Amino acid sequence: MPATLIDSAIFQGIFSSDEMRHVWSDENRTQKYLDIEAALAKVQGRLGLIPQEAADEIISHCRLDQIDMAKLRQQTERIGYPILGVVSQLNSLCRDKLGEYCHWGATTQDITDTATVLQIREGLAIVDRELTAISAAMARHAKTHRDTPMIGRSNLQQAIPVTFGYKMAGLLSAIERHRERLAQLRERVLVGEFAGAAGTLASLQQGAMETQGQLCAELGLKQPVIAWHTIRDNIAEVGAFLGLVGGTLGKLSMDVKLMMQTEVGEVYEPFAHGRGSSSTMPQKRNPISSCYIHAAISVVRQLSAALMDAMVADHERSTGPWEIEWIVLPEAFCLMAGALKQSRFVLEGLEVDAQAMRRNIDLTHGLVMSEAVMMGLGPFIGREYAHDLVYDICREAVKQQRPLLDLLAEHPEIKRHLDRAALAKLCDPANYLGQSGAMVDRVLATLS
């Protein structure tokens, strides 16, 4: 009986993905516990810390199909943690009491934290793959529309011309920084935990550090330099990273929503029959994916803050903050998977209307070129005076509802310095795109 949108039979494909939901599922989490217990037994058998016969017997039962999940739920509700329930079931499955060597020298949090890191590794791989696809789609738009003029906007007002490629390249630069952050944080986050009750590994009088190192190696994780039971900056960094990615996806969705407005009509989400339609207004084409992106990333940001709260842990093993991570990490990753999936869908099928972009530039009959005119007049009459003069002419153009070029060409002071042909060049949006093309090229050149 699912109660959240992530697990809803109706909404799960919108707000998450099956692949990410599997990563954080009970089944995968429990299998990770078993993988760690098997790796621990293997290492300790090899080191002679437990009998090899016991190691082999334990490993043979570290399979999810041998765990009674209903019983594990009951055990977890009684004990408060699932690890002891898993270990208890493994013990009972092993012959001749060989299962007593299971979990040798470990503590509950060692297994839980290491399993979480393994899940994070799988989750980040999905995020990385989606970011790579989003980067490629943005790069295509940036390259295709490198020189496609559109109006830049400031405070929701028309400002000066930019290009659609420039807009895409700006977002692309952020996505590439996120990919760089992801590569960097893997080194800090993909670290195992095996430290015992208070982090000192006092439970193993021999082979303690060897066990820790070889266990991490078996699992493909780095060995910690010291226990991190209550030092949680690594987990919080993952949350901060997801929040940053969400911010960029939210920026994308915001711009798409605004550009899809009827009065603007510059881009559209991919078309599918019936998608985005209204129950009462047949003409509607709503920005559905962008709405879902906005909702998902807004929650992810709050979850990122919760992971910061989880850093404030007491002493060597905490009372409560740790469990915040259990609640937050699955939600954050699952919602981020949904936002990434929707963003990729939007970008890979985005409809771009270059004619509408040009039409919107021309809405003001040249007023958006006032800065270009001011800068063109500056060398002749001074920048500040040119600003005030052009400002007054702009107001008059609005009042008379005439093109700015006509009023400029008629003005006696301006005519002394620039003829109509020169003014027409200043009023051409294609001549006032600045270094947008060069900036697009620089961003594209950074792609691997």
Side-chain angles (χ1 to χ4, degrees):
M1 186 172 60
T4 72
L5 291 181
I6 291 171
D7 291 318
S8 165
I10 298 171
F11 288 106
Q12 63 184 230
I14 291 174
F15 284 99
S16 189
S17 70
D18 290 343
E19 187 179 17
M20 189 66 84
R21 289 171 60 249
H22 169 73
V23 170
W24 298 96
S25 66
D26 288 339
E27 292 77 11
N28 191 49
R29 181 185 302 108
T30 304
Q31 184 60 62
K32 293 291 184 287
Y33 298 155
L34 295 169
D35 292 343
I36 298 162
E37 295 291 357
L40 179 60
K42 179 180 180 181
V43 166
Q44 292 180 327
R46 185 166 61 217
L47 292 171
L49 301 180
I50 66 173
Q52 186 60 51
E53 184 182 16
D56 294 340
E57 181 67 12
I58 292 165
I59 292 168
S60 72
H61 295 291
C62 286
R63 302 200 314 269
L64 187 64
D65 60 7
Q66 296 200 31
I67 297 297
D68 185 333
M69 296 297 284
K71 183 179 180 181
L72 181 58
R73 172 183 172 175
Q74 295 171 354
Q75 292 171 311
T76 302
E77 289 176 354
R78 176 172 56 85
I79 299 165
Y81 306 98
I83 301 302
L84 185 54
V86 170
V87 172
S88 176
Q89 289 196 42
L90 283 176
N91 193 356
S92 66
L93 288 166
C94 293
R95 61 179 173 81
D96 303 329
K97 294 188 177 181
L98 293 173
E100 293 291 343
Y101 288 102
C102 180
H103 198 68
W104 197 256
T107 193
T108 289
Q109 192 167 354
D110 291 338
I111 309 303
T112 305
D113 279 350
T114 304
T116 297
V117 171
L118 294 175
Q119 289 175 285
I120 288 173
R121 182 169 67 186
E122 292 180 352
L124 290 178
I126 296 171
V127 172
D128 193 10
R129 186 192 66 215
E130 292 298 293
L131 285 175
T132 301
I134 286 170
S135 173
M138 285 182 173
R140 286 195 298 273
H141 288 300
K143 185 176 182 179
T144 300
H145 296 284
R146 177 188 185 274
D147 301 313
T148 302
M150 67 173 295
I151 194 65
R153 295 176 172 95
S154 170
N155 291 308
L156 293 179
Q157 305 295 306
Q158 290 203 355
I160 64 172
V162 296
T163 70
F164 186 62
Y166 169 83
K167 181 183 281 287
M168 281 290 106
L171 289 164
L172 174 59
S173 69
I175 294 297
E176 287 302 298
R177 286 190 293 275
H178 295 323
R179 294 178 67 198
E180 183 179 359
R181 290 182 181 104
L182 178 50
Q184 292 169 347
L185 72 83
R186 279 188 169 116
E187 290 297 307
R188 293 184 290 271
V189 172
L190 301 185
V191 178
E193 180 83 289
F194 181 75
T200 63
L201 273 177
S203 53
L204 292 181
Q205 294 301 308
Q206 293 181 337
M209 300 305 281
E210 292 82 1
T211 298
Q212 185 189 73
Q214 291 189 34
L215 172 62
C216 291
E218 283 289 329
L219 298 169
L221 301 175
K222 290 180 65 177
Q223 182 178 4
V225 294
I226 193 170
W228 50 276
H229 288 145
T230 51
I231 310 297
R232 314 300 290 184
D233 61 290
N234 51 351
I235 305 299
E237 182 177 7
V238 173
F241 166 73
L242 295 178
L244 287 170
V245 172
T248 299
L249 301 183
K251 159 66 175 170
L252 167 68
S253 70
M254 179 65 76
D255 279 3
V256 169
K257 284 186 292 182
L258 292 172
M259 295 169 74
M260 275 187 69
Q261 290 182 104
T262 306
E263 296 84 352
V264 180
E266 293 173 344
V267 302
Y268 293 94
E269 290 185 1
F271 176 77
H273 185 73
R275 181 175 177 81
S277 61
S278 164
S279 62
T280 59
M281 295 169 283
Q283 85 280 7
K284 293 287 290 298
R285 185 174 176 181
N286 294 316
I288 295 299
S289 289
S290 295
C291 292
Y292 292 141
I293 295 165
H294 192 145
I297 64 95
S298 296
V299 176
V300 170
R301 284 202 303 273
Q302 310 311 312
L303 298 175
S304 298
L307 290 173
M308 300 291 178
D309 284 341
M311 292 179 67
V312 187
D314 47 293
H315 297 303
E316 281 61 57
R317 299 286 294 281
S318 67
T319 54
W322 182 40
E323 285 79 354
I324 294 172
E325 297 173 2
W326 303 6
I327 301 168
V328 166
L329 273 173
E331 257 191 78
F333 268 97
C334 286
L335 288 172
M336 181 52 59
L340 287 164
K341 181 172 71 173
Q342 295 288 355
S343 298
R344 180 177 177 178
F345 171 77
V346 168
L347 287 163
E348 290 183 342
L350 189 69
E351 298 177 16
V352 181
D353 190 336
Q355 290 183 335
M357 290 176 177
R358 180 56 199 243
R359 182 180 68 242
N360 289 335
I361 293 176
D362 295 335
L363 278 175
T364 63
H365 303 293
L367 292 181
V368 295
M369 301 307 299
S370 62
E371 182 187 73
V373 174
M374 176 193 73
M375 295 304 294
L377 283 171
F380 301 104
I381 62 177
R383 194 209 68 85
E384 186 172 356
Y385 178 60
H387 173 278
D388 294 342
L389 179 61
V390 174
Y391 176 89
D392 291 336
I393 294 173
C394 285
R395 302 285 72 75
E396 192 63 28
V398 172
K399 182 179 179 180
Q400 296 184 27
Q401 295 186 339
R402 293 178 61 198
L404 177 64
L405 175 59
D406 289 351
L407 272 71
L408 291 170
E410 293 171 2
H411 196 280
E413 189 169 7
I414 294 176
K415 285 196 297 184
R416 287 201 298 269
H417 305 289
L418 297 171
D419 60 17
R420 186 180 179 91
L423 290 169
K425 288 183 179 180
L426 291 177
C427 290
D428 184 350
N431 294 331
Y432 203 65
L433 297 174
Q435 300 301 309
S436 57
M439 292 178 184
V440 171
D441 293 342
R442 288 199 301 185
V443 173
L444 293 175
T446 66
L447 303 181
S448 56

